Amino acid sequence: MAKKLNLSERKIEKARKLAESVTSEIQKYIDLHTTVTVERASLRLLGADGADKNGVPVPNLIADSLKDKCGLGLSRYYLNALVKSAVSPQELNKKIAEGLDISKIDMGDPKAIEKKASELISALDKRINSNVEHRNRKLAQYKENEKKPWIYVIVATGNIYEDVKQAKAAALQGADIIAVIRTTAQSLLDYVPYGATTEGFGGTYATQENFRIMRKALDEVSETEKRYIRLVNYCSGLCMPEIAAMGALERLDMMLNDSMYGILFRDINMYRTFTDQFFSRMINASAEIIINTGEDNYLTTSDAVEKAHTVLASQFLNESFAKRAGMKEELMGLGHAFEMNPDIKNGFLLEFAQALMAREIFEKHPLKYMPPTKFMTGDIFKGYAMNTLFNFVSKATGQSIELLGMLTEAIHTPYLQDRALAIKNAMYVHNNMADFLNEIEFKKDGIIRKRAAQVLDETVDMLAAVKKTGLFKAIESGMFADVKRAPDAGKGLDGVFEKEDGYYNPVETYLKKRLGLTEKAEA
Amino acid sequence: MKIIKAYGDTLNDGAIQLSFTLPVPFGGKAKEAARIFVEKMGFHKADIVHAEPLSGEFTFFVAYGKTDNAVDYDEVEYTEAVDKSMSMDEVNAFIKQNFKRKIVIVGACTGFDAHTVGIDAIMNMKGYNHHFGLERYPMIEAMNMGSQVPNEKLIEQAVKINADAILVSQVVTQKDAHIKNLTNFVELLEAEKIRDRFIIVAGGPRISNKLAVEIGFDAGFGAGTYAEDVATFIVKRMYEKITEKR
């Protein structure tokens, strides 16, 4: 795409460099630590699954009995139990669910443990490869029907079977991506619930069974629609890596996954979040799952005009963190949002500048564009008009993933018809102005170019300030989203462990090797 | 008596627009079913102006109808938490003059509800739509505890900082979660026998003053509320309480 904003390449480069030096400090910490959910995710990828009669998941039962061993890695104990009892992971899971405490089993021959590890890792590798191959095959098969931007809608009934109906209807209407809203409380649970959800609160739980049910439904509708319909869930909260693991196993295609969202908006401890996001992104990168970052949330607490640069700064940081986790740019769905007050004169121009700027700076990234929410009211007619302008900007600036605005945004979870009307609006705009972007240029000293340059300048200044104080301090002083979080506060810090001598995690080793992170670390 | 009906283009023509979905496949029979459905809701001259399939199983309709139902406007009973709100400066002057100290307000979005939009709009320095939030008020100590705060925690904090008023925000309304949560909040205060220590105010897009008062709050505020509306209510109610005691 020809660039139109004449942004300074030198400044963009400078911002990237600053972001890299900011995240390098954090990465030093991450590399020396693990968390209880990183360990549980590793167990899941080796085969730990199921739950006991009280609903406590097997990975948690294992972690609870071995809490003081997290710094050594929990995989060894699970593998040892498999070797010693000579059963399959499914059988062992059942025994653990029935009360077997694997911490009580004597540690056996390390050679046998490593052999078992390589057997299970090889099965994992096959499963991930087969998921990636299936997705790529279907995307290639139906390439001609692919839209730009991809239309993303949400289902949120709280009952996975009802969600299936709504998701299928949405796909028939033209949706390319279905997100299944997660129940509001899940981000703060330090376990992943088990089984299908039929009575969720504000959504369904992210469970492996729910993933499977929706995946199957979307695979069916993909065949009738001749488009590969992507499935999204929420890889955030206290169990980020475990949800990534489940998504990799069940072929989710996208995950909401931000490096700082949990810290700022869910008050999760920053050490925990940074460590978790790294591991979860290695899993997502391995399974070629596109991440969606959460910069849009900044604008729900801060002003979209004044704090536009915090969005761009966070995009640079998310990009840098993702790179460190071995993720390629084609998987980095950096987020932003159409959240300016509709009463602002020329607000549309400012939104346009911000969206096109993101497009020109992050060229290969599948940018995720979020609709108006903050200024949506009960006036559904005005809301529908705002969504039309949002659709316009989205198409005219070449966004990749467009989460459609709902006319009833401020009122209730979408009715079937709300979603259909949103899709109709988007498809009308996308088609009607298909080649608009190729037809326009911007005035040299016009509002749009000047605005983009100004936001980039402010971003460079902000990243320089963050580098100076360090990211931990920057978050503590409220530099992002006007939210202040102290390093030792927030939830989940007791689940962070320093890696001890002899730390063993064959899943981590596998992921790093797969992503080419091992050689880099040694070089 | 003042009898009123919806106004389309003539006084009391009773004209209304509707849109809805029926769980039947698109077609002539679906349209006829939709027309009958509209008539059964009390409309005559029902007109299905648009119908389209949403999937093989659902059809969406836009309809117009006219109704004979009417309301006697003079019989409508209604009260708002505040009749006329003071400005930020007036609120500050009122506090200085009547209480001679800063007043303390703590607020949160409670329960599992993760939406901070409402409580932020009322409490945060910046406020919403050029109406400053309570943190900006020189004579108010405002503390916003954010979202997903258990009712117990909010009450504990209110006691700890000796708050004059507590704001409870509720956005999620699925399965009446907001009503249960607000009711639980009042019950907790009553169980601790500290209900009368605080002025308690509920807020949220689906909260009305009537609903909140029924649950046991002092007031409720819905969509379109700004910080000064809430502040006005609180300071006036505090003033009433003092003067009653005298």
Side-chain angles (χ1 to χ4, degrees), chain B residues 104-106 157-166 197-199:
Chain B
V104 180
I105 302 175
V106 61
Q157 188 65 27
V159 171
K160 194 172 145 198
I161 61 175
N162 203 12
D164 296 291
I166 310 175
R197 261 176 75 177
F198 308 104
I199 290 166

Side-chain angles (χ1 to χ4, degrees), chain A residues 260 263-264 270 274 302 307 310 461-489:
Chain A
M260 298 194 286
I263 306 169
L264 299 171
M270 55 177 82
F274 284 129
S302 301
K307 294 296 172 74
T310 66
D461 291 346
M462 177 175 177
L463 286 169
V466 173
K467 186 190 165 186
K468 203 169 164 201
T469 60
L471 187 54
F472 291 125
K473 275 259 156 54
I475 294 172
E476 193 175 9
S477 66
M479 283 175 79
F480 295 94
D482 293 333
V483 176
K484 296 176 183 175
R485 301 294 186 199
D488 288 322

Side-chain angles (χ1 to χ4, degrees), chain A residues 436-448:
Chain A
F436 184 82
L437 182 55
N438 301 326
E439 291 289 318
I440 50 168
E441 287 173 1
F442 297 100
K443 273 166 73 175
K444 188 161 165 276
D445 289 314
I447 295 171
I448 289 181

